[in-house]
Amino acid sequence: MADAEDGRLFELSEKYLALQREAREFAASVRDIAERADEAGDIDPEMRKRLAASGIGSIMVPAEFGGRYERVDSLAVTLAREAFAAESAHLDSLLGMQGIGSYAISAGGSDAVRAEWLPAVGRLEAIAALALTEPDVGSDLKALSTTLVARDGDLVLNGRKSFITNAGDADFYCVLAREGESYSLVLVPATAHGVSVAKPHQIIAPHVLGDVVLDEVRVPESHRLGAPGKGFTLVLSTLATFRVSVAGAAVGLATAALEEAVRHAAGREQFGVNLARLGSVPGSLATSWTEIEMARALTYRAAEAAARDPLANLHLSSMAKVGATEIAGRVVDRSVQTMGRFGLVQGSKIERLYREARPMRIYEGSTEVILDSLAKQLVKGVTR
């Protein structure tokens, strides 16, 4: 897989190739703490320290605020997440959420708010979070019940956000709330009076996750992100910029799973034959490789398009997210099957990858919800 790994199949420019090499080298350097971090329910302090020192977190904010590129670049984010997810889901999430959690500030924050928070996000001095879902609200965000009311020059929030990544460790939350008959987005510092965090759930692949409770939380009007009632515009811009990076992470995870299976199959004999040449194993390995390269090709194309115009190319990002995460699920399952009982060993890398692959098909838009949206777009284009 050498050609795919160095990017030549996709004509990446030297700017991107350099970042790809840097991200892979850094990801390999944290292999010694990956297993511990991937089982943690809070941000691993050593992982955070090393990522901050690497400077790679700066790709998540614009150059004006200490970022590496003029604006957040979807292809750069995708390449970094591909490299990180191959070694550690915790590292991948830590990087990814710095962008997902702060992008609304970049796009809709006041000059003062952006200057206060974005440089710290890029240096990982501040941990970001985006608070959308609620206990009874998932994909149907318009049904959310968290409220926002303007009162005496402040913004007052009440509600409960659920399954929020980085809850408890975040320094701020970008909160989507109902404001009258519309929806607005507000920056809420974690230290604001009335903000508390509960952790009633953990998922099969441990994650920094919790519920954020907002009880008469007051923040200045200046903490409003974007125009009143235009919260969904910023949420959509965030998805358009970062959804494709989930596909990158899925490609990285699938590649790592296949490498584990190939290493096992090449080094084991059964019935006097190398496992890599026995029965259905060759076909399984080759099918996984083929699917990974298909996913990588679409992911890179979609990421490059999103880097140019995120909203105009959201359909490509959505296709890549669905395609790559579904393929990752199949590849890791085949890899476990190839490794037999050794693929079932608790604490092994393949076991971690198996658990980590499953949530990818749900977060950042479940497969079914995305496919429904794509179908509507497809049919609308035909019936105009």
Side-chain angles (χ1 to χ4, degrees):
M1 294 184 282
D3 285 345
E5 287 180 353
D6 66 19
R8 281 177 287 185
L9 286 178
F10 308 98
E11 298 182 355
L12 295 174
S13 69
E14 181 53 36
K15 176 181 80 171
Y16 294 117
L17 288 171
L19 174 64
Q20 189 178 62
R21 290 191 295 269
E22 179 186 359
R24 286 174 176 163
E25 289 172 4
F26 175 72
S29 76
V30 301
R31 196 172 291 157
D32 61 316
I33 60 172
E35 180 180 354
R36 180 191 75 203
D38 284 1
E39 298 300 324
D42 301 295
I43 290 177
D44 184 274
E46 181 64 21
M47 188 71 83
R48 177 179 179 178
K49 178 181 177 181
R50 293 191 195 182
L51 179 57
S54 77
I56 296 175
S58 65
I59 69 173
M60 293 303 189
V61 298
E64 181 183 358
F65 302 99
R68 186 172 300 196
Y69 307 118
E70 181 179 355
R71 52 192 173 86
V72 178
D73 185 315
S74 297
L75 180 53
V77 174
T78 298
L79 292 171
R81 291 194 64 182
E82 179 186 356
F84 284 12
E87 295 292 347
S88 168
H90 189 87
L91 174 62
D92 170 51
S93 178
L94 181 57
L95 177 73
M97 282 308 303
Q98 287 298 90
I100 294 168
S102 71
Y103 188 77
I105 299 175
S106 297
S110 67
D111 289 344
V113 166
R114 289 190 295 164
E116 177 182 359
W117 290 105
L118 293 180
V121 168
R123 296 191 297 265
L124 270 87
E125 293 170 1
I127 297 297
L130 179 64
L132 302 180
T133 60
E134 298 181 357
D136 297 318
V137 177
S139 300
D140 183 16
L141 286 176
K142 289 187 177 180
L144 59 80
S145 59
T146 296
T147 60
L148 169 65
V149 177
R151 186 186 304 159
D152 300 326
D154 289 335
L155 302 174
V156 183
L157 295 104
N158 284 280
R160 185 185 187 106
K161 295 296 183 176
S162 182
F163 279 81
I164 304 305
T165 299
N166 286 346
D169 285 341
D171 292 282
F172 65 85
Y173 302 94
C174 292
V175 179
L176 182 66
R178 181 186 294 272
E179 185 174 17
E181 297 302 314
S182 58
Y183 305 85
S184 298
L185 207 60
V186 179
L187 185 150
V188 177
T191 55
H193 181 73
V195 175
S196 61
V197 172
K199 296 201 172 189
H201 309 290
Q202 187 50 274
I203 60 176
I204 57 175
H207 195 68
V208 183
L209 199 69
D211 287 11
V212 180
V213 181
L214 307 163
D215 182 11
E216 286 292 303
V217 174
R218 300 179 74 100
V219 297
E221 174 70 34
S222 61
H223 279 43
R224 184 187 292 278
L225 302 174
K230 300 297 182 181
F232 276 117
T233 300
L234 289 177
V235 171
L236 185 62
S237 295
T238 300
L239 289 175
T241 301
F242 292 98
R243 175 173 280 169
V244 68
S245 72
V246 180
V251 169
L253 184 151
T255 302
L258 179 57
E259 288 174 351
E260 290 291 302
V262 170
R263 189 177 300 113
H264 176 84
R268 185 167 174 78
E269 285 194 5
Q270 291 286 282
F271 305 105
V273 180
N274 185 279
L275 183 59
R277 300 304 311 153
L278 179 65
S280 63
V281 172
S284 176
L285 296 176
T287 297
S288 291
W289 187 15
T290 300
E291 289 190 338
I292 288 170
E293 293 310 322
M294 290 167 58
R296 182 180 278 116
L298 176 56
T299 295
Y300 283 21
R301 178 194 171 199
E304 190 276 334
R308 285 185 281 106
D309 191 336
L311 287 171
N313 293 291
L314 180 55
H315 64 296
L316 288 177
S317 295
S318 296
M319 291 176 193
K321 195 273 180 182
V322 168
T325 57
E326 292 291 332
I327 281 173
R330 293 197 295 269
V331 168
V332 75
D333 188 69
R334 286 193 206 106
S335 298
V336 168
Q337 194 72 12
T338 295
M339 296 174 70
R341 66 183 185 273
F342 299 100
L344 303 175
V345 175
Q346 191 172 17
S348 65
K349 183 170 183 178
I350 193 66
E351 185 256 353
R352 292 197 344 256
L353 293 172
Y354 187 82
R355 287 186 287 115
E356 290 159 5
R358 190 60 187 86
M360 286 183 161
R361 293 158 57 195
I362 296 175
Y363 70 73
E364 294 286 334
S366 70
T367 293
E368 294 77 13
V369 170
I370 292 176
L371 289 178
D372 183 68
S373 178
L374 287 171
K376 289 177 181 176
Q377 183 176 351
L378 183 64
V379 172
K380 183 179 179 181
V382 172
T383 56
R384 281 176 181 167

